[in-house]
Amino acid sequence: MDFDNILGFIAATITTAAFIPQTYRSITTRDLSGISLGMYAAFTFGIILWIIYGIRIGSGPILVANIITFGLSATILYLKIQHLRSSGHRSR
């Protein structure tokens, strides 16, 4: 593996790991009041585009990081939508 891929995997690991505490807190506390629906919807869509880009250019670091980040982000987005539905709000 060349230096660029190693650097990419290190960067991907750090930025992907940054989502773990928020996802864990969202799951365990179910407190989504501080989470922006618009931000997570846009972010999750952006991650889908990064996955498509990673496939198109054949980049392992981009694919691995964004597939994992998609799972974390989609979990928070799902919980936020469920939170809004259960509290009777349409958006926040």
Side-chain angles (χ1 to χ4, degrees), residues 1-14 61:
M1 185 176 299
D2 65 6
F3 177 76
D4 291 338
N5 275 326
I6 292 170
L7 184 62
F9 274 114
I10 292 169
T13 300
I14 292 167

Side-chain angles (χ1 to χ4, degrees), residues 34-78:
I35 299 295
S36 166
L37 176 62
M39 180 273 182
Y40 268 90
F43 183 79
T44 303
F45 180 68
I47 292 299
I48 291 168
L49 296 178
W50 274 113
I51 291 168
I52 293 167
Y53 176 71
I55 291 168
R56 292 189 53 85
I57 68 167
S59 174
I62 290 174
L63 275 172
V64 171
N66 286 291
I67 288 169
I68 294 168
T69 302
F70 173 79
L72 297 169
S73 179
T75 298
I76 294 171
L77 181 60
Y78 172 79

